[in-house]
Protein backbone atom coordinates (compact mmCIF):
# COMPACT_ATOMS: atom_id res chain seq x y z
CA UNK A 1 0.00 0.00 0.00
CA UNK A 2 1.29 3.47 -0.85
CA UNK A 3 1.99 6.07 1.82
CA UNK A 4 -1.04 7.98 0.53
CA UNK A 5 -3.16 4.87 1.00
CA UNK A 6 -1.83 4.38 4.51
CA UNK A 7 -2.57 7.99 5.46
CA UNK A 8 -5.95 8.36 3.83
CA UNK A 9 -7.27 4.81 3.83
CA UNK A 10 -6.81 2.18 1.21
CA UNK A 11 -10.50 1.49 0.76
CA UNK A 12 -12.75 2.55 -2.11
CA UNK A 13 -11.61 5.48 -4.19
CA UNK A 14 -13.69 8.59 -3.60
CA UNK A 15 -14.34 11.24 -6.22
CA UNK A 16 -13.73 14.30 -4.07
CA UNK A 17 -14.75 16.66 -6.87
CA UNK A 18 -18.09 14.91 -7.27
CA UNK A 19 -19.05 14.87 -3.61
CA UNK A 20 -18.01 18.52 -3.20
CA UNK A 21 -20.09 19.44 -6.25
CA UNK A 22 -23.01 17.58 -4.64
CA UNK A 23 -22.80 19.86 -1.60
CA UNK A 24 -20.67 17.90 0.87
CA UNK A 25 -20.38 19.35 4.38
CA UNK A 26 -16.81 20.72 4.39
CA UNK A 27 -15.25 20.66 7.86
CA UNK A 28 -11.87 22.19 8.67
CA UNK A 29 -10.67 20.58 11.90
CA UNK A 30 -7.74 22.97 12.47
CA UNK A 31 -7.62 25.57 15.24
CA UNK A 32 -9.53 28.85 14.83
CA UNK A 33 -6.22 30.68 14.35
CA UNK A 34 -5.18 28.36 11.52
CA UNK A 35 -8.63 28.69 9.95
CA UNK A 36 -8.46 32.49 10.13
CA UNK A 37 -5.13 32.47 8.30
CA UNK A 38 -6.71 30.75 5.29
CA UNK A 39 -9.48 28.26 4.62
CA UNK A 40 -11.67 26.60 2.02
CA UNK A 41 -14.56 28.79 0.88
CA UNK A 42 -17.80 27.55 2.41
CA UNK A 43 -16.12 25.33 4.99
CA UNK A 44 -17.02 25.26 8.66
CA UNK A 45 -14.35 25.32 11.35
CA UNK A 46 -14.96 22.60 13.94
CA UNK A 47 -11.60 22.00 15.66
CA UNK A 48 -10.68 18.36 16.28
CA UNK A 49 -10.83 18.73 20.07
CA UNK A 50 -14.51 19.79 20.06
CA UNK A 51 -15.90 17.38 17.44
CA UNK A 52 -17.37 15.03 20.09
CA UNK A 53 -19.45 17.91 21.49
CA UNK A 54 -20.56 19.07 18.02
CA UNK A 55 -21.91 15.82 16.56
CA UNK A 56 -25.35 17.36 16.00
CA UNK A 57 -23.82 19.54 13.25
CA UNK A 58 -22.98 16.39 11.25
CA UNK A 59 -26.45 14.81 11.36
CA UNK A 60 -28.40 14.51 8.10
CA UNK A 61 -25.39 15.37 5.92
CA UNK A 62 -25.17 13.28 2.74
CA UNK A 63 -21.37 13.50 2.65
CA UNK A 64 -18.84 14.95 5.09
CA UNK A 65 -15.31 15.95 4.08
CA UNK A 66 -12.87 16.61 6.92
CA UNK A 67 -9.48 18.22 6.37
CA UNK A 68 -6.67 20.03 8.19
CA UNK A 69 -3.08 21.18 7.65
CA UNK A 70 -1.36 17.86 6.91
CA UNK A 71 -4.05 15.15 7.03
CA UNK A 72 -3.30 13.86 10.54
CA UNK A 73 -6.04 15.61 12.47
CA UNK A 74 -8.57 14.98 9.71
CA UNK A 75 -7.75 11.25 9.93
CA UNK A 76 -8.49 11.40 13.66
CA UNK A 77 -11.70 13.35 12.99
CA UNK A 78 -12.84 10.72 10.47
CA UNK A 79 -12.26 8.00 13.06
CA UNK A 80 -14.20 9.91 15.75
CA UNK A 81 -17.12 10.48 13.39
CA UNK A 82 -17.18 6.88 12.18
CA UNK A 83 -17.10 5.63 15.78
CA UNK A 84 -20.07 7.93 16.41
CA UNK A 85 -22.08 6.28 13.65
CA UNK A 86 -21.35 8.43 10.60
CA UNK A 87 -20.52 6.28 7.56
CA UNK A 88 -20.33 9.05 4.99
CA UNK A 89 -17.03 10.66 6.06
CA UNK A 90 -14.12 11.32 3.72
CA UNK A 91 -10.67 12.42 4.85
CA UNK A 92 -9.84 15.13 2.33
CA UNK A 93 -6.29 15.46 3.66
CA UNK A 94 -4.96 18.99 3.56
CA UNK A 95 -7.11 22.07 3.26
CA UNK A 96 -5.10 23.11 0.20
CA UNK A 97 -5.91 19.78 -1.45
CA UNK A 98 -9.65 20.22 -0.81
CA UNK A 99 -9.47 23.86 -1.85
CA UNK A 100 -8.51 22.96 -5.42
CA UNK A 101 -11.92 21.29 -5.88
CA UNK A 102 -14.02 24.19 -4.57
CA UNK A 103 -15.31 26.71 -7.07
Amino acid sequence: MSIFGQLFGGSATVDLQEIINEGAFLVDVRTPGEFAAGHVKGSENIPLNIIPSQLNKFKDKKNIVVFCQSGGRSSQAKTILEQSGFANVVNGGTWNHVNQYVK
Side-chain angles (χ1 to χ4, degrees):
M1 180 180 290
S2 69
I3 187 72
F4 186 82
Q6 291 173 0
L7 287 173
F8 303 112
S11 57
T13 303
V14 173
D15 186 341
L16 199 54
Q17 182 72 67
E18 183 178 337
I19 64 172
I20 288 173
N21 289 348
E22 291 175 356
F25 183 42
L26 303 176
V27 182
D28 190 323
V29 300
R30 297 177 299 153
T31 66
E34 289 173 298
F35 185 81
H39 59 271
V40 175
K41 179 181 172 186
S43 64
E44 185 165 338
N45 183 216
I46 305 175
L48 177 64
N49 65 319
I50 67 165
I51 284 179
S53 68
Q54 301 294 311
L55 294 176
N56 61 323
K57 292 185 177 183
F58 296 90
K59 288 187 184 345
D60 301 320
K61 304 295 186 194
K62 180 178 178 184
N63 288 299
I64 301 164
V65 178
V66 292
F67 49 91
C68 60
Q69 187 65 36
S70 67
R73 285 175 282 181
S74 55
S75 177
Q76 292 175 57
K78 181 179 190 298
T79 299
I80 291 167
L81 290 167
E82 287 176 339
Q83 290 175 345
S84 298
F86 297 95
N88 54 342
V89 184
V90 174
N91 179 358
T94 71
W95 77 273
N96 284 308
H97 175 73
V98 173
N99 200 40
Q100 69 185 344
Y101 297 106
V102 175
K103 295 176 176 147

